[in-house]
Amino acid sequence: MILTIAAAMNNPVNARPIVTIDGSSTVYPITEAVAEDFQIAKKGGIRVTVGVSGTGGGFKKFCRAEVDIVNASRPIQHSEMEACRAAGVQYVEMPIAFDALTVAVNPSNTWSRTMTVAELKKIWEPSAQGKITKWNQINPAWPDKRIKLFGAGADSGTFDYFTEAIVGKAKSSRGDFTASEDDNVLVQGIATDKYSLGFFGFAYYIENQKKVNVVAVDNGKGGIIPSAETVENGSYRPLSRPIFVYVNAKAADKPEVSEFVNFYMKNAPALVKEVKYFPLPAEVYQLNLKYLDERKVGTAFGGESKMDLTIDELLKLERRL
């Protein structure tokens, strides 16, 4: 029997297997790099799609079993654990890198190259809305000019982590700022306004160093700039954090998903570094694959982010899972 071209294209036998991924814009550069290399290695035999709807948006799809994998810039939360449980979705948690959540200003800003956690809190806490609007309200030596704020959107894990680390409670923030789940939008906003301030993942700062300047964060021991050294030695606090992928345990039974995750963990150290995040010890990637093989489901975080976590502390947590 001879199939027409249209019939052949619609024939499931001829369809390429697809691995579906969504979630964090922070994790996106890593997963996208892995997806590109994987598809080349498979000579186009498996397709990988990577969406960007924020960590929260990604978990909504993941817990409805609409995607195989979710990129997450924070651990799964209690409400998401319950949504997955209700839908019968089990997951394998996989830390893949450390990020240094970066506070950035316009290159013309010469006054706030270092900011304390207290100053950042004064700007971002809910009570600041409509009241703290100018730089000199934070520090009298700073300009009498309106601050233009840019930050991650409410569906972003970066928003959750930043507000918990700086303000003291996740999602506790003023609302009068320009928000986006796309970090590139935040970079462009800061780059075009002299009096702007914002935050996003470290990789987006590194890729845009000519457009924005980094702020050294002072947590009581002097200003610390995010770098491989300050993340690894634990001095860049409280804005260092692990980032993750979560794999649907049932989806991992599909050969294409299993192959992709194995490729991810084996190539993560090099690709994480390539896109300017910080790789984890080899043991973490090995544990990820061991847990996948054993279908060891659940989370080491109990539904909460853990502030000030070091890479060594993350490893201890994962060993106990």
Side-chain angles (χ1 to χ4, degrees), residues 75-98:
I76 189 169
Q77 295 179 338
H78 288 291
S79 59
E80 293 156 347
M81 292 167 69
E82 184 52 44
C84 279
R85 191 180 300 116
V89 172
Q90 294 185 304
Y91 44 85
V92 181
E93 178 179 81
M94 297 188 176
I96 53 156
F98 247 67

Side-chain angles (χ1 to χ4, degrees), residues 57-246:
F59 269 123
K60 286 171 187 171
K61 295 178 183 180
F62 182 77
C63 292
R64 294 194 296 258
E66 293 174 6
V67 294
D68 302 315
I69 298 168
V70 63
N71 292 327
S73 62
R74 55 155 173 79
I76 189 169
Q77 295 179 338
H78 288 291
S79 59
E80 293 156 347
M81 292 167 69
E82 184 52 44
C84 279
R85 191 180 300 116
V89 172
Q90 294 185 304
Y91 44 85
V92 181
E93 178 179 81
M94 297 188 176
I96 53 156
F98 247 67
D99 176 30
L101 209 162
T102 301
V103 179
V105 292
N106 187 276
S108 299
N109 180 325
T110 57
W111 57 90
S112 64
R113 295 294 176 85
T114 297
M115 297 184 73
T116 66
V117 170
E119 286 169 341
L120 289 168
K121 180 180 180 181
K122 188 174 180 180
I123 292 171
W124 285 99
E125 62 190 349
S127 61
Q129 182 163 336
K131 296 177 182 175
I132 304 298
T133 59
K134 294 184 176 182
W135 282 101
N136 64 350
Q137 291 176 281
I138 308 303
N139 183 326
W142 292 351
D144 181 16
K145 296 290 184 180
R146 192 173 187 85
I147 307 173
K148 183 68 183 292
L149 293 172
F150 295 87
D155 257 349
S156 166
T158 296
F159 175 75
D160 294 340
Y161 191 91
F162 181 84
T163 48
E164 188 166 352
I166 297 299
V167 179
K169 182 180 178 183
K171 297 188 184 297
S172 178
S173 172
R174 67 190 300 162
D176 54 342
F177 66 97
T178 300
S180 177
E181 267 78 26
D182 184 345
D183 290 5
N184 288 306
V185 172
L186 308 178
V187 168
Q188 286 305 117
I190 296 167
T192 55
D193 192 305
K194 180 178 179 178
Y195 299 102
S196 59
L197 173 79
F199 62 90
F200 40 74
F202 182 78
Y204 289 89
Y205 159 64
I206 291 295
E207 289 298 313
N208 295 280
Q209 291 181 76
K210 293 180 180 178
K211 296 180 180 179
V212 299
N213 279 353
V214 67
V215 172
V217 177
D218 183 352
N219 195 23
K221 297 180 180 179
I224 303 292
I225 287 175
S227 68
E229 181 184 359
T230 60
V231 168
E232 286 164 11
N233 68 23
S235 63
Y236 186 66
R237 295 190 175 195
L239 294 177
S240 290
R241 56 173 181 166
I243 54 180
F244 307 82
V245 296
Y246 287 77

